[in-house]
Amino acid sequence: MNKDMKATISKVWFKDGRIFVQTEDGETLSRPLEAFPVLLEATSEQRNHFVIGLYGDDIRWEELDEDIHISSFLEESEPDPTNEIAVIFRCFPQLNVSEMARTIGINKSLLSRYIYGIKKPSEARKKQILDAIRQLGREMASYPD
């Protein structure tokens, strides 16, 4: 899809961990669900309960309070499960993403995108995340018996 082109969504579906859209001109675009953590965590039933916007350039999930604009399908990044943040959260599944995001002062969806490797944090943000995890570890280690 050309960035200058005004595409209109005609169809939306999910398959193999991805969301697909077809435009009125027949072009099919897709993104991994990791790019949209709210959809990734939603049930299949919730994902399939959407409305294409009035102008055909966005999708709305009222129940999930999630909106995706067609321009989101221009992004080409794919999940990178080998990134340091992903590895830590995989090794310690008891880490609560919502609480860690709150501790760091960022949105849960943004932290989830870092974890899934869809978005790469700046070095400063990466340090902030790792410092918060280390601080939690120190607090847990110092908890009295």
Side-chain angles (χ1 to χ4, degrees):
M1 180 171 73
N2 183 323
K3 290 183 182 184
D4 299 327
M5 189 172 108
K6 175 76 170 145
T8 303
I9 300 168
S10 62
K11 183 178 177 183
V12 179
W13 71 97
F14 299 88
K15 182 178 177 185
D16 299 329
R18 298 184 75 83
I19 178 174
F20 292 82
V21 296
Q22 186 173 47
T23 63
E24 280 190 349
D25 64 3
E27 186 175 9
T28 299
L29 308 167
S30 82
R31 295 288 291 132
L33 284 177
E34 288 89 348
F36 310 106
V38 171
L39 294 180
L40 180 67
E41 295 174 6
T43 66
S44 180
E45 182 178 310
Q46 289 172 317
R47 278 188 215 119
N48 285 308
H49 192 91
F50 61 86
V51 176
I52 296 173
L54 179 63
Y55 302 107
D57 62 352
D58 69 316
I59 311 161
R60 172 80 181 151
W61 288 264
E62 189 65 38
E63 178 183 353
L64 301 172
D65 192 24
E66 179 77 348
D67 300 281
I68 298 175
H69 190 268
I70 194 164
S71 61
S72 299
F73 290 87
L74 296 175
E75 178 65 41
E76 296 178 359
S77 61
E78 291 291 324
D80 174 15
T82 64
N83 79 76
E84 188 174 5
I85 307 286
V87 171
I88 290 171
F89 276 82
R90 197 169 41 256
C91 288
F92 299 98
Q94 60 273 52
L95 287 172
N96 182 299
V97 178
S98 295
E99 289 303 317
M100 289 307 303
R102 192 178 347 264
T103 297
I104 297 163
I106 64 175
N107 182 287
K108 177 188 174 200
S109 289
L110 178 59
L111 180 55
S112 294
R113 286 184 182 96
Y114 293 150
I115 293 168
Y116 297 128
I118 289 293
K119 187 165 178 64
K120 184 176 179 177
S122 66
E123 284 302 314
R125 178 59 55 98
K126 181 177 165 183
K127 182 181 181 325
Q128 183 185 24
I129 294 167
L130 296 175
D131 287 349
I133 292 169
R134 289 182 187 111
Q135 180 60 36
L136 176 61
R138 284 190 290 274
E139 290 173 13
M140 291 174 67
S142 69
Y143 193 78
D145 291 330

